[in-house]
Amino acid sequence: MEIYPDIPLQQIDAVLEKSQQAFDTYRQVSLLKRAELLRAIASELEEIGDAWIQVAHQETNLPEARLRNERARTIYQLESYGQACAEGDWMRISIDTAFPNRNPPRPDLRKMMIPLGPVVVFGASNFPYAYSTAGGDTASALAAGCSVIVKAHPAHPETSAMATAAIRRALEKCGLPIDTFQHVYGASNEVGKALVQHRNTSAVGFTGSFNGGKQLFDWANQRPHPIPVFAEMGSVNPIFLLPEQMGLEAESLAEKIAGSVILGVGQFCTNPGLLFAVEGDSLLHFKNKLKALLQSVAPAPMLHTGIKDNYQSSSTEWRAKAGVSTLVASVEQPDLCVTPQLTETSLNRFIQDSSLHQEVFGPATLLVVCPTLSDLLVAAAHIEGQLTCSVFGTPAELSAQSGLLQILQTRCGRLNFNMVPTGVEVVQSMQHGGPFPATTDPRFTAVGSDAILRFVRPISYQNCPDDLLPDELKSANPLQIWRKIDGAWSNDSVR
Amino acid sequence: MEIYPDIPLQQIDAVLEKSQQAFDTYRQVSLLKRAELLRAIASELEEIGDAWIQVAHQETNLPEARLRNERARTIYQLESYGQACAEGDWMRISIDTAFPNRNPPRPDLRKMMIPLGPVVVFGASNFPYAYSTAGGDTASALAAGCSVIVKAHPAHPETSAMATAAIRRALEKCGLPIDTFQHVYGASNEVGKALVQHRNTSAVGFTGSFNGGKQLFDWANQRPHPIPVFAEMGSVNPIFLLPEQMGLEAESLAEKIAGSVILGVGQFCTNPGLLFAVEGDSLLHFKNKLKALLQSVAPAPMLHTGIKDNYQSSSTEWRAKAGVSTLVASVEQPDLCVTPQLTETSLNRFIQDSSLHQEVFGPATLLVVCPTLSDLLVAAAHIEGQLTCSVFGTPAELSAQSGLLQILQTRCGRLNFNMVPTGVEVVQSMQHGGPFPATTDPRFTAVGSDAILRFVRPISYQNCPDDLLPDELKSANPLQIWRKIDGAWSNDSVR
């Protein structure tokens, strides 16, 4: 493999200066042009063909089938965020027309979203396409009208370089400033810090570990001018298993959950690392089935040595924790391979030992056994902020558990009913985010076209002559955007 | 005047515990109930009658007529945010229905906004009604479904106590937990820090100085679980005067600007503290008129000793700055009274001395003389983040100055055309916020019903049985909210 040296720190200023210059042009292009760019990127990525799959497979060990799916998702994201961008609905346009006869006269006010400025993106290792170089953060920042600098993930540098070349070809074909998108290498903390703290940087997107995300957040807030950081960090995605449902389908529940725990060798941000269930015969049945399923899983390779080593040491450590019993132990494997682990503890022990609330990144889950149904509420009250929480129950017992559902709503960004948390739909109604420590800002999503909102802010034009207004706000509504005019939604012109 | 001792630090935990408990009930009440509460507060405030005006006048020295206007604004805010709350449009509801036949099946996903939790509000001294105890932050947090703790501004403690009593009477009449709103005194930093850093506090609203707002922001980010701070801080609200317009109406421009500089004894956050104009005869004409107008202003009292002393020392300091000439000097006055000040400097000096970019809180403004029209762009590129920027120009010269307008858009939350910045309309299209250091979060507004969005976050329900969904998301749309269903806006039910 080629070597990708870190960018020298003294070159970062030039990168951000070029990004600012590109931004000053790019932020003025129309919504349709931005959508054209996103489609052009999608098509350039498709053009790379199997070469991209092969390189990504070599760099990440992800199976080809998974990579093909992820590539399709990446292309869909670019296309769907481009379409959302062009429709303009995300701009949340509001127009309040003048009342010249009021005393004092009320001025005409029109509000829309404008881009923040250059955005620095730190991609994820576990999604080398969909949440890396040409992934969701880049797509939504470009849709917002921002320029982008990606710091390549060191675990897939060549995959990242190929995406970069495609994006820059698309910029060129669209006649846009090529430095609207730039790409740097930097495995060191210093590069990250310099990027986040450069005066031109206006926002940061990150997907990765708690320590990494929190560090970026702190650097950003220590700037003379603080900037927002959208860091998606750890999440254990608890699943609550209600007893009636458990009684009805202990085996099939075990199958669903085993499938979710081992999906992608447990390397998804929505991987279920915690299961809460109520003591009883059905639980025993469920446990035996889950145990059998996880024991039979063939060893599979993780993304890179760092992740594998971390999984091995964490899972070993967990087996040694007081009050934790091991149902399935992860077994040391050659190369990057690992096997799943299933541990069990009591609710009391879980409450006492906060280390049991932490994420083990990989195919491991902890079953917390609760003595009674009402203890599930106690459990829920003790969990930290999560991307997702899930509940399995019959209609009747879900209705009876409104107290549990109320607590879970305060703990997560997405609440699933009778579904495992893995599988994140790319639709506007998706909230992929959640209370700290799942993310640094639960008010925004990293998946779905609302992700664009992370990189914009509102501006009002007061008493602006119509010909000087951006097209989005002109009375004639040339872009045919849905706008709220004097309190009523309309895609018509201002009368 | 009665004495209002600081709350003992050891009592703050009990306040936040009560707030959390009240929140756990209040967050579950319907949008209509929240709207009813806001209307009830408005009506209780009206009931206080002139007693409230008299106390506020004694505490703040604001004239009665101004206080009556501000009271009307406060009541209007409560009513209009209540109406917006009930309409539910701010919840940005999105529904993507299931595709059971897709492989894998697409689940039903529905997204809405839920409240963050207890909100701590630090009111403004310059708006004892509209941006204090029962002001915009409290109204929008209650509309969001949050409980509120106000730390009374020490400059109007009794005015604050009267508002508190009215709010709590309204809560009682509506049958809501009385601790949904609480009120504490605390002139010390320790009280502020303890409130911001309490584990139950979920967001902070603040209007005041840069140092105050930045301190709260830092405390909030240093928490184990950081929380958002919406601090509206300093702004000098630059006005750019284009030469043709200046040639047409030098005198009337001087009148408008003088009126804006002295409005409310210069104690508005949108007070214009910076004027940029191009050298020439018309400017001389304008300057002489502005000078004459400001010299003739009668002394008027500021809000309190701290603000007056600060104005006197800052304005004296400014007159002594290198390269600054004094056109009208503020004259030492008895009691809390002050007079306006007008100073002048060159663009070069302005660029060299960053202290000239700072706000002088009060009726003072600095005229920066630019040698040529194109120097206005240089000036614009050197200003910091602002709540507002304003431009006065003829249609022709505004059209010719698109470069200037482009820069100004990156510097402010509201861009005014041929209007002074003072006068902040309470409408949805208002953006009252702006890039740092004007606020700590330019992505949100402190005025207009979108202010509600500061105190909420999205949550998605995946595959949730219809009867367990909140009313806002139920297929039948019982609240008749406008929702985006499978990409199209509708106030109908889900088919």
Side-chain angles (χ1 to χ4, degrees):
Chain A
M1 200 190 286
E2 213 179 321
I3 288 166
Y4 301 90
D6 280 17
I7 181 175
L9 292 182
Q10 67 273 21
Q11 285 178 19
I12 286 177
D13 187 55
V15 170
L16 267 301
E17 279 304 309
K18 287 193 282 181
S19 193
Q20 182 69 46
Q21 274 171 36
F23 172 66
D24 285 338
T25 301
Y26 183 63
R27 72 187 168 93
Q28 297 180 52
V29 309
S30 70
L31 293 181
L32 290 173
K33 190 75 187 174
R34 293 187 210 165
E36 182 192 325
L37 171 64
L38 292 178
R39 276 195 308 272
I41 294 171
S43 121
E44 290 295 329
L45 291 175
E46 273 184 327
E47 287 281 313
I48 314 177
D50 280 1
W52 204 28
I53 302 276
Q54 282 149 22
V55 167
H57 175 64
Q58 280 158 22
E59 290 190 324
T60 66
N61 303 301
L62 291 172
E64 278 197 31
R66 146 74 195 271
L67 286 168
R68 285 184 197 283
N69 277 338
E70 189 183 326
R71 181 176 64 178
R73 179 193 181 100
T74 308
I75 284 165
Y76 177 73
Q77 284 172 176
L78 286 157
E79 287 169 347
S80 68
Y81 296 2
Q83 192 190 331
C85 172
E87 285 171 3
D89 193 64
W90 59 277
M91 287 204 156
R92 320 264 196 222
I93 292 175
S94 170
I95 296 177
D96 288 292
T97 56
F99 287 175
N101 297 328
R102 196 192 66 174
N103 182 17
R106 187 176 93 169
D108 183 282
L109 271 157
R110 301 180 184 218
K111 183 156 75 167
M112 65 181 275
M113 293 295 186
I114 58 173
L116 293 178
V119 171
V120 172
V121 172
F122 295 81
S125 68
N126 60 341
F127 277 100
Y129 300 149
Y131 290 91
S132 186
T133 316
D137 288 354
T138 294
S140 47
L142 291 174
C146 295
S147 55
V148 174
I149 298 117
V150 164
K151 191 190 83 55
H153 198 288
H156 51 259
E158 185 61 26
T159 306
S160 192
M162 291 169 89
T164 296
I167 298 171
R168 288 170 67 98
R169 277 196 302 275
L171 281 162
E172 204 167 8
K173 285 187 180 167
C174 292
L176 291 165
I178 195 153
D179 290 327
T180 302
F181 183 89
Q182 293 178 87
H183 186 239
V184 301
Y185 292 102
S188 77
N189 276 351
E190 286 66 31
V191 171
K193 185 175 184 179
L195 288 168
V196 170
Q197 295 202 328
H198 192 279
R199 66 187 175 284
N200 291 357
T201 302
S202 70
V204 175
F206 168 86
T207 312
S209 70
F210 176 80
N211 290 338
K214 183 60 165 55
Q215 179 62 78
L216 298 181
F217 178 80
D218 289 341
W219 283 334
N221 285 314
Q222 287 153 10
R223 294 166 48 113
H225 287 60
I227 56 171
V229 171
F230 304 97
E232 188 195 316
M233 306 182 291
S235 187
V236 281
N237 305 293
I239 297 180
F240 289 76
L241 301 158
L242 301 184
E244 273 179 39
Q245 188 71 27
M246 184 72 98
L248 289 176
E249 56 150 356
E251 293 219 358
S252 95
L253 271 180
E255 280 162 13
K256 286 174 194 164
I257 287 171
S260 185
V261 169
I262 65 166
L263 194 70
V265 200
Q267 299 168 112
F268 287 117
C269 44
T270 51
N271 184 257
L274 263 182
L275 312 173
F276 293 97
V278 182
E279 232 163 50
D281 288 347
S282 326
L283 177 58
L284 280 179
H285 192 173
F286 166 83
K287 237 160 68 172
N288 287 335
K289 178 71 180 180
L290 184 60
K291 204 170 141 176
L293 288 165
L294 293 179
Q295 266 165 345
S296 70
V297 172
M302 294 191 84
L303 289 156
H304 56 79
T305 319
I307 284 185
K308 182 204 165 158
D309 292 349
N310 182 54
Y311 175 70
Q312 287 300 359
S313 62
S314 309
S315 51
T316 307
E317 204 180 290
W318 276 51
R319 296 198 296 271
K321 281 183 197 281
V324 171
S325 53
T326 303
L327 306 184
V328 180
S330 81
V331 183
E332 193 69 45
Q333 303 290 334
D335 304 326
L336 291 170
C337 288
V338 298
T339 62
Q341 173 159 305
L342 173 63
T343 48
E344 178 183 330
T345 195
S346 67
L347 177 58
N348 273 343
R349 193 65 220 145
F350 177 76
I351 290 171
Q352 285 156 21
D353 183 355
S354 66
S355 82
L356 295 175
H357 302 217
Q358 304 306 308
E359 185 179 12
V360 175
F361 195 77
T365 196
L366 171 67
L367 172 66
V368 180
V369 179
C370 300
T372 68
L373 186 53
S374 64
D375 288 319
L376 291 178
L377 275 82
V378 179
H382 278 88
I383 60 172
E384 292 220 84
Q386 305 288 342
L387 293 172
T388 72
C389 289
S390 306
V391 189
F392 283 83
T394 63
E397 67 185 341
L398 286 171
S399 293
Q401 287 301 319
S402 63
L404 175 64
L405 300 178
Q406 280 296 338
I407 297 174
L408 293 182
Q409 282 170 46
T410 66
R411 295 296 191 278
C412 69
R414 173 164 56 104
L415 186 54
N416 299 305
F417 293 79
N418 291 313
M419 288 191 78
V420 293
T422 42
V424 181
E425 287 296 328
V426 183
V427 290
Q428 190 174 3
S429 306
M430 173 54 65
Q431 172 62 12
H432 192 68
F436 192 93
T439 75
T440 49
D441 196 338
R443 295 169 300 165
F444 295 88
T445 180
V447 176
S449 57
D450 282 351
I452 301 172
L453 295 171
R454 294 176 296 172
F455 303 117
V456 295
R457 68 174 174 90
I459 186 169
S460 292
Y461 294 81
Q462 181 166 321
N463 196 34
C464 181
D466 199 71
D467 61 320
L468 296 183
L469 283 168
D471 284 350
E472 291 84 349
L473 297 181
K474 284 189 166 74
S475 287
N477 196 14
L479 305 181
Q480 296 178 287
I481 294 175
W482 279 91
R483 311 185 293 185
K484 204 170 174 187
I485 304 175
D486 292 326
W489 283 103
S490 162
N491 62 354
D492 209 342
S493 57
V494 177
R495 280 141 215 265
Chain B
M1 200 191 285
E2 214 181 320
I3 289 166
Y4 301 89
D6 280 18
I7 181 174
L9 292 182
Q10 67 273 22
Q11 286 178 20
I12 286 176
D13 186 55
V15 169
L16 266 301
E17 279 304 309
K18 287 193 283 181
S19 193
Q20 182 69 47
Q21 275 171 34
F23 171 66
D24 285 336
T25 301
Y26 183 64
R27 72 186 169 92
Q28 297 182 50
V29 309
S30 71
L31 294 180
L32 291 172
K33 189 76 188 173
R34 293 187 211 166
E36 182 193 326
L37 171 65
L38 292 178
R39 277 196 308 272
I41 294 171
S43 123
E44 290 294 329
L45 292 175
E46 273 184 327
E47 287 279 314
I48 316 179
D50 280 1
W52 205 28
I53 302 279
Q54 282 150 22
V55 167
H57 175 64
Q58 280 159 22
E59 289 190 325
T60 65
N61 303 301
L62 292 171
E64 278 197 31
R66 148 73 196 273
L67 286 169
R68 284 184 200 282
N69 277 339
E70 189 183 327
R71 182 176 62 179
R73 179 197 181 97
T74 309
I75 284 166
Y76 177 72
Q77 283 172 178
L78 286 157
E79 286 168 348
S80 68
Y81 296 2
Q83 193 190 329
C85 172
E87 285 170 3
D89 193 63
W90 60 275
M91 286 205 157
R92 320 260 196 228
I93 292 174
S94 170
I95 296 176
D96 288 293
T97 55
F99 287 175
N101 298 329
R102 197 191 65 174
N103 181 14
R106 188 176 92 170
D108 183 281
L109 270 157
R110 302 181 183 216
K111 181 157 74 166
M112 63 180 276
M113 293 294 186
I114 58 172
L116 293 179
V119 171
V120 172
V121 172
F122 295 80
S125 69
N126 60 343
F127 277 100
Y129 299 149
Y131 290 92
S132 185
T133 317
D137 288 355
T138 295
S140 46
L142 290 174
C146 294
S147 54
V148 174
I149 297 118
V150 164
K151 192 191 82 57
H153 198 288
H156 52 259
E158 185 60 26
T159 306
S160 192
M162 291 169 89
T164 297
I167 298 170
R168 288 171 66 99
R169 276 195 303 274
L171 281 162
E172 205 167 5
K173 285 186 180 169
C174 292
L176 291 165
I178 196 153
D179 290 326
T180 302
F181 183 88
Q182 293 179 89
H183 185 239
V184 301
Y185 292 103
S188 76
N189 275 352
E190 285 68 31
V191 171
K193 185 175 183 180
L195 288 168
V196 170
Q197 295 202 329
H198 193 280
R199 67 187 175 283
N200 290 357
T201 302
S202 69
V204 175
F206 168 87
T207 313
S209 70
F210 175 78
N211 290 338
K214 183 60 164 56
Q215 179 62 79
L216 298 182
F217 178 80
D218 289 341
W219 283 333
N221 284 315
Q222 287 154 10
R223 293 166 49 114
H225 287 61
I227 56 171
V229 171
F230 306 97
E232 187 196 317
M233 306 181 293
S235 186
V236 282
N237 304 293
I239 296 180
F240 290 76
L241 300 157
L242 301 184
E244 274 178 39
Q245 188 71 24
M246 184 73 99
L248 289 177
E249 55 148 357
E251 293 220 357
S252 94
L253 270 181
E255 280 162 13
K256 286 173 195 164
I257 287 170
S260 185
V261 169
I262 65 165
L263 194 70
V265 200
Q267 298 167 114
F268 286 118
C269 44
T270 52
N271 185 258
L274 263 182
L275 312 172
F276 293 96
V278 182
E279 231 162 48
D281 288 347
S282 324
L283 177 59
L284 280 179
H285 192 173
F286 167 83
K287 236 159 67 172
N288 287 335
K289 179 69 181 179
L290 185 59
K291 201 170 143 176
L293 287 166
L294 293 179
Q295 265 163 346
S296 70
V297 172
M302 294 191 85
L303 288 157
H304 56 78
T305 320
I307 284 184
K308 182 202 165 156
D309 292 348
N310 181 54
Y311 176 70
Q312 286 301 2
S313 62
S314 310
S315 51
T316 306
E317 204 180 289
W318 275 51
R319 295 197 298 270
K321 281 182 195 285
V324 171
S325 53
T326 303
L327 306 183
V328 179
S330 81
V331 183
E332 191 71 43
Q333 302 289 332
D335 303 327
L336 291 170
C337 286
V338 298
T339 64
Q341 174 159 304
L342 174 62
T343 49
E344 178 183 330
T345 196
S346 67
L347 177 58
N348 273 343
R349 194 65 220 146
F350 177 78
I351 290 170
Q352 285 156 20
D353 183 355
S354 66
S355 81
L356 295 174
H357 302 218
Q358 305 306 307
E359 185 179 15
V360 176
F361 194 76
T365 196
L366 171 67
L367 173 66
V368 180
V369 179
C370 300
T372 68
L373 186 53
S374 63
D375 288 318
L376 291 178
L377 275 82
V378 179
H382 278 88
I383 59 169
E384 291 220 85
Q386 306 288 342
L387 292 173
T388 72
C389 289
S390 306
V391 189
F392 284 83
T394 63
E397 67 186 341
L398 285 171
S399 293
Q401 286 301 318
S402 64
L404 176 63
L405 299 178
Q406 281 295 340
I407 297 174
L408 293 182
Q409 282 169 46
T410 67
R411 295 297 192 277
C412 68
R414 173 164 55 105
L415 187 53
N416 300 304
F417 294 79
N418 291 311
M419 289 191 79
V420 293
T422 43
V424 181
E425 289 295 329
V426 183
V427 290
Q428 190 175 2
S429 306
M430 172 56 64
Q431 172 61 12
H432 192 68
F436 193 92
T439 74
T440 48
D441 196 338
R443 294 168 300 163
F444 295 88
T445 180
V447 177
S449 55
D450 282 352
I452 302 172
L453 295 171
R454 294 176 296 171
F455 304 117
V456 294
R457 67 174 176 90
I459 186 169
S460 291
Y461 295 80
Q462 181 167 321
N463 196 34
C464 182
D466 199 71
D467 62 319
L468 295 184
L469 284 168
D471 284 351
E472 291 84 349
L473 297 180
K474 284 189 164 74
S475 287
N477 196 14
L479 305 181
Q480 296 179 287
I481 295 174
W482 279 90
R483 312 185 293 185
K484 204 167 176 190
I485 303 175
D486 291 326
W489 283 102
S490 162
N491 61 355
D492 209 341
S493 57
V494 177
R495 283 141 214 269

